[in-house]
Amino acid sequence: MIKTSSGAPGALILDHSDATVAFIDRDWIPAPADSHVPAIVFTEDGKALWDEAELTTIGDGLERQASALVAGVAMEAASVASGLERVEVQGEGALAGEIRRRLGPAGTSARADRASSLPMAVVDATGDPRMLVSATERLADGGTLVMAGEPLGRETEINLYKHVHVRGLRIVGIKRPGGTSPRSVEAYLPAPRAVRPQEPLPHAAWYRLER
Amino acid sequence: MASGAPVAARASATVPGMGARLEHVQARAMSRITGALYSAGYTPKTLAEAQRDTIWWLWARAQASANLRPLMRAWGIAWTSAGYAELVPIEVPRAGRGRVTVDVHTSAVSPGTERAQYLRLPNAQVGLLGRPGYSCAGIVRSAGPGGEDFKPGDQVAVTGAAHASLVTVPREAVYRVPAGVELDSAALVMLGIICGQGVRLARLEPGSPFCVVGAGLVGALALRLAAIEAVPQAAIGRSRRREPVARSGGARDFFTTEDDADAIAKIASPVVIDATGDPDAIHAATSAAAEGGRIVLLGSPRGVTDAFPVDVVRNKCLTIIGAHVDTLDIEAARTGVDTRRREGDSFLSALAKGSIDVSDLVGPAIDPREASLFYRRLARSDDLVGAHFDWTAMPPPMQTGRAHLLAPPNVTGRGMEAKWPIAPLQGRSAQSPLALKDPFSTAVGRLRLGLLGCGDIAVHNAAGAAVAPNVEVTACFDPNTSLAQDLAQRHSAVVAPSAEALVGRADVDAVLLAVPHHLHAPLAVLAAEAGKHVVVEKPPAHTLGSAVQMAQAAERAGVALSVSFPQRYEAAAMVAHQLVAAGAVGELTGSSIRLYLDKSPAYWLGGFSGRARSDWRGSKAQAGGGVLIMNASHYIDLLRHLVDVEVDTVSAQVGALDGDAEVEDAVAVTIRYRNGAVGSLLSSSAVRGSSESALEMWGRSGRLVLEPRPRVYSLGSVDGLRPSRWQTFGRLPLVDSRAVFLSRLASSLERGEQPEVSAADGLAAQAFIEAVYQSGETGEPVRPADLLAQAVSEAGHGVPVLSGSQ
């Protein structure tokens, strides 16, 4: 579907015959060339897909629809972390930004430096499994790790005893929206940067990839 | 650099190369100290023990001093080194302020945790004091100020205390056991707290379904606690061995991770409790969980999860909750609620109300002295759901007493190695296996012996008869009349004119043959046919066929045939026999006999003591063999007497290297026992300057060395022995073994019983000897039982008395 380019480093390939437009979060783009990239894809026949999962969307405008879908995930993630002291959000993309926005001041805290102010929650919007282990190390005992990113099928090695069990951590998975019961979600995502296949990617929170 | 940092560290950080030089100096100093300690007799093991004892010594005194209370002696279980557990003496301070001292009756084993600690698995933490266990129950002995709500005699459960016969703990760790609750069940209190917390974190709705992964003690207990409110949908185990335990806890379905992956994926339970401790069980847990479900990590994963299923957790919107018991303290610090006590009281209350039954989870009672054996079993098998140490099984001398605060620490490391023997725990009481009873105390009857053959060995036998209270020598015969007259004079016996005349005498009940081996059979037949019991100096005969002939003659005549193997009745051998019978060694796994002698040509070709010329020992036809049949046969019988396992095959090399005689002077034998144990026998009569012997055996529970310097090491619970420590037999009384042998024979005959050393015993030794010789000739393994069966068959008569021995 969407892949990182093997010929042009940092560029994307739209490898889907029916796709017209794809929306991609910056944090979803893996570094290796020729890797699968999760995306919200709109096809010529009006379907919306988040990877393989077909979605029912609400509202007009592809960008608004994609924003609503991302915001839906952000809302779920933020609701798990809201109310907890000291929340840290991992990620630089649109999803991470939307989560921070929804968490308000709590979600804007930088990485805590002192043990006494270790975060009680880390929301990971990257999906990178390596971040999972490092996030548990930063969390305060009894804290919560919210997994809202796209793991891309990647697995990770983890010592569950040391990183979760003995410290009483919670790991909460946030699913991407799917199925036929979408919710109308207010979204305040910035406008995506429009890019073409094989073009170098400029710095942005997320991208709109068109043929 | 922090101001509190060690000077050396600060210096090493500021002066280039200083760190390396300091390390070098430290390493050299440590090397010198260690070298000096090794020179002083320490070994790595004894040094480790000394270090441990010193730490414990300091710890106990710090505790006692802080509370201004005396110390008491008790026993506890310790991880002495990697893979070794042991019952060791400990010192326990009496309860001071806010503390309670409890006489422990039972301490619960947490098989998963303790197996992991014993095997040194990843994530298995062993505390500074290196002692397992954290949950027990017993009776309050005393309570310090602030702990008066507990009175002496109260039944209590205790958390956080290692396996020990006596513990002093903060009162916060003590829980009153409600009436009607067994202490064995109450001893699971800590596990009840652990599991109760896991169930609470699962936030089960009344009547809602849940699933438990893991069917061990934690899994079974969590399932039962959760089932008080919710519905146990399924349990998942590694195999079906523990299915009954899960079913009895109420699990509707039981699946295994190996065979039921599809079924597990269909469980779709809103709550999954992972109680395995298996780092890969997270896959089964995530598979069994419904979308949006909660997984409580209750068991401590022993290792790293290689492929944590990030996608599954995310796509199923799962919540994974770490539920280590230490998180109760995190929670308490945040909320101010003593959740630990709440869970403990709740567990004991559930037991009292009958809401849960854990009687099938407490498992077998283990004698604490067998801790080492128990952990070995636990390491090999994960079948065991629960177990508990029964501290009331300790014999009274091993229970508590007062310890001295000013007593120095034991830094000798004494007892780990045989060269530092330790004394028995409690003297030589009559109950101790080390106690040697008067061997003549049960002597009955009066056996009148006629001696056929009055050579040197007959002198020893007659002397033994004189010591035995129920044996006398009444007649003697030897073709060399002067020998017979000499012996008759010493023992007020008469000299018979012939062998026939001796066996025909009315004042002779039994005939003792002390003649060259080839004469055993004809004289034994002569005596038996005259109606006399027959006692033959070892070996039974010069060949197996002759020995069978003797046994058959005795059988036909209805008289007893016994073989003089007096080494069975040496004091150390009798103690060894008692120890083996008490289980000190356990099932035999190996044995070793070594006998090095330096026999001169005079032994084979001349006389023995100068009383008479006797050159038959050097003749194969008359003696039947050399050092094996002549000397090592004592040890062959003695070992068989001790091990009580028959030999299956022997493989041997036999040589006559010195050339003084036609018989062998060297033999090496590999022995395979019927239970699979392996042993060896190495003997030579041509080892210059030597007269030494060694006999030892070992089994699943210990090792016994009879010669040289008798000693025993046992992991078993044998009264009078300290487990896991070498213990010498100490000073034993001198016993005339031939006197004991003859006295026991007389008593057996008086009671109408078979002699303790029976014809079957003699034939077993003879068959072993013959098998060694045959293997030496053919180079093939030989089964002694086959040779004996063949000899019986060739003799043409059955030998019923042998049926029980082979």
Side-chain angles (χ1 to χ4, degrees):
Chain A
M1 195 173 274
I2 312 294
K3 293 198 301 185
T4 48
S5 170
S6 55
L12 297 173
I13 296 172
L14 184 56
D15 186 14
H16 191 291
S17 57
D18 297 331
T20 55
V21 180
F23 292 87
I24 299 134
D25 191 290
R26 174 183 178 77
D27 290 327
W28 301 347
I29 302 170
D34 204 27
S35 298
H36 169 76
V37 178
I40 299 167
V41 174
F42 294 91
T43 61
E44 286 176 351
D45 54 0
K47 285 183 190 167
L49 304 166
W50 191 324
D51 261 18
E52 303 298 321
E54 188 169 334
L55 309 168
T56 302
T57 57
I58 294 174
D60 300 327
L62 299 183
E63 191 174 311
R64 278 193 64 190
Q65 291 182 39
S67 295
L69 290 167
V70 171
V73 175
M75 186 181 72
E76 293 287 338
S79 71
V80 174
S82 66
L84 296 175
E85 296 174 56
R86 302 180 298 278
V87 182
E88 182 183 321
V89 180
Q90 291 185 159
E92 298 175 355
L95 174 60
E98 179 66 5
I99 294 170
R100 284 194 188 94
R101 192 190 68 76
R102 287 178 179 274
L103 286 169
T108 60
S109 66
R111 178 173 168 173
D113 291 327
R114 292 183 304 151
S116 59
S117 58
L118 292 172
M120 284 305 298
V122 171
V123 183
D124 176 56
T126 69
D128 184 343
R130 290 170 302 179
M131 301 296 276
L132 186 145
V133 176
S134 64
T136 60
E137 288 169 348
R138 287 205 303 284
L139 273 167
D141 289 349
T144 299
L145 169 65
V146 183
M147 292 165 46
E150 286 287 338
L152 309 176
R154 293 171 291 185
E155 293 170 329
T156 187
E157 184 183 279
I158 185 170
N159 185 333
L160 285 171
Y161 176 81
K162 177 182 162 190
H163 290 111
V164 180
H165 177 62
V166 79
R167 298 180 49 215
L169 299 193
R170 285 195 311 155
I171 298 177
V172 182
I174 301 296
K175 189 183 175 184
R176 68 168 76 114
T180 56
S181 303
R183 281 187 286 179
S184 177
V185 178
E186 190 182 14
Y188 296 93
L189 271 69
R193 288 287 293 268
V195 292
R196 299 273 174 195
Q198 302 286 14
E199 277 184 8
L201 294 177
H203 186 84
W206 63 322
Y207 304 97
R208 177 186 174 120
L209 180 66
E210 290 187 73
R211 287 187 190 279
Chain B
M1 181 70 60
S3 59
V7 173
R10 275 182 274 159
S12 66
T14 52
V15 182
M18 179 69 94
R21 281 204 294 279
L22 272 175
E23 280 181 19
H24 178 68
V25 169
Q26 282 174 349
R28 282 192 61 182
M30 283 307 296
S31 173
R32 286 191 176 181
I33 291 168
T34 309
L37 289 168
Y38 288 179
S39 300
Y42 283 97
T43 66
K45 257 190 162 182
T46 56
L47 197 54
E49 187 186 46
Q51 286 171 341
R52 188 196 69 209
D53 282 354
T54 304
I55 291 171
W56 287 5
W57 184 89
L58 286 168
W59 177 268
R61 274 148 190 81
Q63 296 283 310
S65 303
N67 293 289
L68 298 175
R69 286 294 183 275
L71 284 170
M72 290 168 291
R73 283 186 288 110
W75 292 87
I77 293 167
W79 306 127
T80 46
S81 55
Y84 291 91
E86 193 183 326
L87 181 71
V88 294
I90 57 171
E91 293 172 318
V92 179
R94 203 175 175 91
R97 177 167 296 281
R99 299 176 82 83
V100 181
T101 298
V102 177
D103 280 303
V104 177
H105 283 215
T106 177
S107 59
V109 173
S110 178
T113 301
E114 293 177 36
R115 183 173 182 269
Q117 290 175 340
Y118 179 72
L119 294 175
R120 296 290 196 265
L121 295 182
N123 299 335
Q125 294 174 334
V126 178
L128 174 68
L129 299 182
R131 293 177 48 197
Y134 52 67
S135 195
C136 62
I139 307 294
V140 172
R141 178 183 283 205
S142 64
E148 295 93 340
D149 43 342
F150 292 105
K151 300 281 183 290
D154 283 355
Q155 291 205 347
V156 292
V158 177
T159 63
H163 296 301
S165 61
L166 186 73
V167 298
T168 294
V169 293
R171 68 163 306 288
E172 291 76 20
V174 185
Y175 297 76
R176 198 175 299 283
V177 176
V181 175
E182 298 286 336
L183 286 180
D184 289 350
S185 298
L188 292 170
V189 64
M190 189 68 206
L191 289 141
I193 292 171
I194 292 169
C195 296
Q197 182 217 14
V199 170
R200 185 169 52 84
L201 291 175
R203 290 190 285 119
L204 287 158
E205 301 286 337
S208 66
F210 70 95
C211 167
V212 175
V213 185
L217 181 56
V218 173
L221 199 50
L223 190 143
R224 289 171 200 212
L225 286 170
I228 294 174
E229 291 286 337
V231 178
Q233 190 176 4
I236 299 170
R238 209 176 328 180
S239 72
R240 296 212 166 266
R241 285 195 298 258
R242 291 174 174 175
E243 181 176 353
V245 173
R247 294 275 189 195
S248 67
R252 196 180 64 197
D253 292 317
F254 187 89
F255 302 112
T256 72
T257 47
E258 281 185 10
D259 302 327
D260 303 315
D262 292 342
I264 290 170
K266 289 175 186 162
I267 293 174
S269 184
V271 169
V272 178
I273 299 172
D274 175 2
T276 62
D278 178 354
D280 292 324
I282 191 69
H283 297 288
T286 52
S287 175
E291 190 166 322
R294 288 185 296 282
I295 296 172
V296 177
L297 274 187
L298 184 55
S300 297
R302 307 294 178 196
V304 172
T305 303
D306 292 329
F308 181 74
V310 184
D311 269 324
V312 181
V313 173
R314 188 201 176 220
N315 293 339
K316 289 177 89 168
C317 289
L318 300 178
T319 298
I320 297 172
I321 304 161
H324 191 277
V325 70
D326 285 356
T327 60
L328 282 170
D329 301 329
I330 300 170
E331 187 178 348
R334 291 224 172 92
T335 63
V337 177
D338 186 355
T339 41
R340 196 178 282 260
R341 175 153 296 277
R342 192 176 63 193
E343 296 294 351
D345 287 338
S346 171
F347 169 71
L348 292 169
S349 171
L351 287 176
K353 289 181 199 160
S355 307
I356 56 166
D357 176 14
V358 296
S359 56
D360 60 330
L361 302 182
V362 299
I366 311 296
D367 187 319
R369 291 171 294 173
E370 298 200 337
S372 186
L373 278 177
F374 166 72
Y375 285 113
R376 282 168 182 266
R377 279 203 304 273
L378 183 64
R380 283 193 293 265
S381 165
D382 61 357
D383 283 357
L384 198 67
V385 173
H388 63 281
F389 287 108
D390 177 7
W391 294 93
T392 63
M394 301 273 281
M398 289 187 74
Q399 288 168 7
T400 58
R402 187 82 178 260
H404 296 289
L405 193 67
L406 299 178
N410 173 16
V411 293
T412 62
R414 226 167 13 196
M416 291 297 286
E417 302 295 334
K419 61 182 174 179
W420 284 300
I422 60 172
L425 286 168
Q426 79 247 35
R428 297 266 159 73
S429 70
Q431 290 74 33
S432 167
L434 296 184
L436 192 60
K437 299 173 186 69
D438 176 2
F440 301 120
S441 61
T442 55
V444 293
R446 184 150 197 84
L447 183 69
R448 295 169 299 177
L449 276 181
L451 297 181
L452 272 181
C454 297
D456 297 307
I457 204 66
V459 173
H460 293 289
N461 281 312
V467 172
N470 53 346
V471 182
E472 64 175 323
V473 176
T474 53
C476 309
F477 170 74
D478 194 290
N480 183 335
T481 309
S482 64
L483 293 180
Q485 285 173 338
D486 173 40
L487 211 53
Q489 196 173 5
R490 293 191 206 185
H491 296 280
S492 304
V494 297
V495 176
S498 66
E500 291 78 5
L502 185 139
V503 302
R505 289 181 67 91
D507 60 354
V508 170
D509 302 314
V511 173
L512 194 154
L513 304 179
V515 296
H517 299 166
H518 67 294
L519 299 178
H520 285 187
L523 291 175
V525 172
L526 178 71
E529 289 179 347
K532 306 300 183 191
H533 301 300
V534 180
V535 189
V536 59
E537 177 61 27
K538 64 81 205 163
H542 67 313
T543 65
L544 181 56
S546 297
V548 169
Q549 192 185 353
M550 293 163 63
Q552 288 176 333
E555 184 71 20
R556 281 196 304 274
V559 296
L561 171 64
S562 184
V563 185
S564 177
F565 280 124
Q567 286 197 356
R568 289 189 184 196
Y569 301 101
E570 301 282 356
M574 288 193 282
V575 172
H577 193 253
Q578 289 169 207
L579 282 165
V580 173
V585 174
E587 187 191 358
L588 183 78
T589 51
S591 69
S592 173
I593 294 172
R594 188 164 46 81
L595 179 63
Y596 296 163
L597 302 169
D598 186 4
K599 297 288 189 188
S600 77
Y603 179 79
W604 304 111
L605 307 173
F608 188 37
S609 65
R611 288 177 77 234
R613 176 185 171 83
S614 58
D615 57 1
W616 61 273
R617 292 186 187 84
S619 162
K620 176 77 175 173
Q622 294 179 45
V627 67
L628 181 69
I629 196 168
M630 195 67 70
N631 310 112
S633 56
H634 279 296
Y635 291 92
I636 293 166
D637 173 74
L638 180 55
L639 185 60
R640 178 174 173 273
H641 171 60
L642 291 174
V643 303
D644 201 25
V645 180
E646 294 296 347
V647 169
D648 185 46
T649 59
V650 297
S651 305
Q653 294 291 328
V654 179
L657 307 176
D658 253 5
D660 292 334
E662 63 187 65
V663 293
E664 91 283 351
D665 54 29
V667 60
V669 187
T670 300
I671 303 164
R672 166 74 74 176
Y673 290 90
R674 288 192 184 167
N675 72 342
V678 175
S680 71
L681 184 157
L682 179 63
S683 182
S684 174
S685 55
V687 184
R688 303 292 177 245
S690 298
S691 177
E692 60 185 66
S693 54
L695 185 150
E696 60 182 284
M697 53 185 290
W698 50 93
R700 300 200 185 278
S701 305
R703 178 182 170 203
L704 187 144
V705 179
L706 183 55
E707 294 181 17
R709 216 164 56 81
R711 57 202 188 277
V712 64
Y713 177 98
S714 180
L715 306 179
S717 55
V718 178
D719 287 355
L721 285 187
R722 182 170 158 191
S724 306
R725 282 289 189 276
W726 277 104
Q727 188 161 340
T728 62
F729 290 12
R731 184 172 294 177
L732 292 167
L734 281 174
V735 175
D736 186 325
S737 57
R738 288 184 186 273
V740 179
F741 163 69
L742 290 170
S743 178
R744 296 272 179 95
L745 173 67
S747 297
S748 297
L749 294 175
E750 175 68 16
R751 290 192 289 259
E753 297 168 355
Q754 278 289 320
E756 287 183 355
V757 186
S758 66
D761 293 332
L763 287 173
Q766 191 89 45
F768 180 95
I769 291 165
E770 194 118 324
V772 169
Y773 288 143
Q774 192 176 106
S775 176
E777 285 176 13
T778 64
E780 299 292 330
V782 177
R783 297 185 74 235
D786 290 348
L787 295 188
L788 183 55
Q790 185 184 348
V792 170
S793 170
E794 287 171 357
H797 300 280
V799 186
V801 73
L802 303 180
S803 57
S805 71
Q806 290 292 323

